[in-house]
Amino acid sequence: MARPRRLRPRRPLRPRRLLGTALAAAVALLTLVTSATANTLSWQHVPVPAQVRPQAGLNEAVAFGPDLAWAVGADAVGREAPGFPLMLRWDGTAWRRQAPAGVGWQGELLSVAGTSPSALWAVGRDAAGGARLLHFDGTTWRENRPPDGVALTKVVAGAGEVWLIGSRAGTQILLRRDGRGWQDVPPPPGSVYGLHILAADDVWAAGATGSGATVSHWNGQEWQQTVVDRFPRSALSSVLVVSPTEVWAGGTAGFVGGPPGRPIPPLLVRFDGQSWSRVSVGADFGSVDSLAPASSGALAWVSVGRSQKWGPPGSNPPLVPGPDFLAWNGQSFTEYSEPGVAGEGDSRTLRMAPVPGTATVWSVGRADGPEVTFAPRILRFG
């Protein structure tokens, strides 16, 4: 008769093994929660004030914190009639319309930037094409007299500096605020569309010449210019300097021939300290409208206006929507689409404004409206 087997009592888990098991479970749970949270984050539509007309449009925004941001554009009257300058302020709860003191002219505001919440500038143009320059002192927006004979398109701030981009008698100009007035800075060859200011003697410019898209660097004495894409009619509108060995610039690539109205490809390039290389954005057509940094200064977001890509072979229509926003994690991009808005189409422009000290990013622009019109568009991530 077989003898019954004696069952040995199980050895209790050692404290170290118990701790390891608990840590592994916690890490697994945290990973699942983090992944789920990341997957649920998306760009959200934020309404404009009710008194803003349906055919308004926004051109640019700047943020100083979770409860303070500004956006500028034009409040249209009709499809062809001149509109009025539009200025909105975010107070942490909603966007509210602001009325700059003494501004009664028709036209639009094109750009806004500042070195602090109490030192902002906005540039625009009136219905006659005249330059308009506004300043905010922390309490009131007031008009300032622009330099004589200029047309202004953009204001850029950084490192305590404020610069203006514009033209005089049809020639490109750059103006720097020196504390008392605006002083001319000789521009690089060609056209300048965007700046990144690190210091008075360390400024990067995105633009174009007849040779192609360019990035130029100002050392306080002269510009050093590099043609980063030699395809005809390519141009860069934004540049972001992360470090001497990491610089990004975006805009549109050129094209030759093709049918009238053919979409233009986007252009995103990166400098690694030695050379410039082109980076894919997951879209065949569109424009890189803006580059947004994280709080660390590293690239966080790329926006692609009018993003389209080729659909599957034989598809009708042949083009399908491409990614509107690209989130960069240091190695690769994650694609995001803008949310749909009832009665409106996609955004024509996506100009981003990161909120300092947070992961939140604003995007403003104008979208396709009903019956070939347009509509103001504000989006937020985070």
Side-chain angles (χ1 to χ4, degrees):
M1 182 175 178
R3 300 174 65 181
R5 296 178 59 188
R6 175 178 290 180
L7 297 178
R8 294 183 178 180
R10 290 187 178 181
R11 206 182 257 180
L13 290 175
R14 294 180 180 177
R16 180 177 297 177
R17 184 176 298 177
L18 284 172
L19 178 60
T21 303
L23 285 175
V27 170
L29 179 59
L30 180 60
T31 301
L32 288 174
V33 171
T34 302
S35 300
T37 302
N39 290 335
T40 59
L41 287 176
S42 63
W43 285 85
Q44 303 294 326
H45 175 248
V46 181
V48 298
Q51 65 268 36
V52 175
R53 295 179 179 88
Q55 293 188 38
L58 295 168
N59 293 320
E60 199 169 63
V62 61
F64 292 98
D67 58 355
L68 181 58
W70 294 90
V72 298
D75 199 354
V77 175
R79 296 185 185 181
E80 304 297 335
F84 291 91
L86 176 61
M87 184 173 287
L88 305 178
R89 178 173 181 168
W90 173 257
D91 62 8
T93 302
W95 286 93
R96 306 186 190 281
R97 186 164 188 166
Q98 301 290 301
V103 175
W105 44 271
Q106 288 186 282
E108 68 176 320
L109 293 172
L110 302 170
S111 178
V112 61
T115 55
S116 75
S118 59
L120 278 81
W121 294 88
V123 301
R125 60 178 171 230
D126 58 32
R132 296 289 178 164
L133 180 63
L134 283 68
H135 179 255
F136 183 70
D137 61 7
T139 303
T140 306
W141 282 95
R142 298 187 186 278
E143 285 212 67
N144 271 226
R145 180 177 176 177
D148 293 336
V150 304
L152 300 175
T153 57
K154 191 173 181 65
V155 57
V156 184
E161 294 277 310
V162 180
W163 289 42
L164 302 176
I165 301 175
S167 61
R168 183 187 292 119
T171 301
Q172 174 93 63
I173 61 168
L174 296 176
L175 300 169
R176 173 180 175 262
R177 185 75 177 176
D178 66 359
R180 296 167 298 178
W182 299 97
Q183 302 298 324
D184 279 75
V185 176
S191 299
V192 173
Y193 302 115
L195 298 172
H196 187 172
I197 305 170
L198 300 174
D201 58 356
D202 191 2
V203 180
W204 294 72
T209 67
S211 300
T214 60
V215 173
S216 306
H217 179 250
W218 172 254
N219 63 8
Q221 300 294 326
E222 60 182 1
W223 291 95
Q224 180 180 1
Q225 187 175 80
T226 304
V227 179
V228 300
D229 185 89
R230 293 188 176 275
F231 206 75
R233 289 181 273 181
S234 62
L236 296 169
S237 59
S238 55
V239 57
L240 175 65
V241 183
V242 179
S243 71
T245 58
E246 185 179 356
V247 182
W248 297 80
T252 55
F255 65 94
V256 177
R262 173 184 174 180
I264 299 175
L267 177 62
L268 180 66
V269 291
R270 181 182 184 181
F271 180 65
D272 62 5
Q274 299 294 326
S275 61
W276 290 88
S277 59
R278 189 163 178 173
V279 181
S280 174
V281 297
D284 297 305
F285 305 103
S287 65
V288 174
D289 283 347
S290 57
L291 309 173
S295 296
S296 64
L299 176 70
W301 289 94
V302 176
S303 65
V304 185
R306 293 290 197 180
S307 178
Q308 294 179 301
K309 59 185 179 181
W310 292 111
S315 60
N316 187 22
L319 297 178
V320 298
D324 301 299
F325 298 97
L326 304 169
W328 177 251
N329 64 6
Q331 299 293 328
S332 61
F333 286 114
T334 299
E335 299 181 354
Y336 290 83
S337 297
E338 67 171 324
V341 179
E344 299 177 7
D346 294 335
S347 292
R348 301 183 184 187
T349 54
L350 298 162
R351 302 281 166 73
M352 294 184 293
V355 179
T358 75
T360 300
V361 183
W362 291 102
S363 173
V364 303
R366 59 185 69 199
D368 290 325
E371 299 181 359
V372 200
T373 60
F374 54 88
R377 177 66 57 84
I378 300 180
L379 306 172
R380 181 176 62 184
F381 186 93

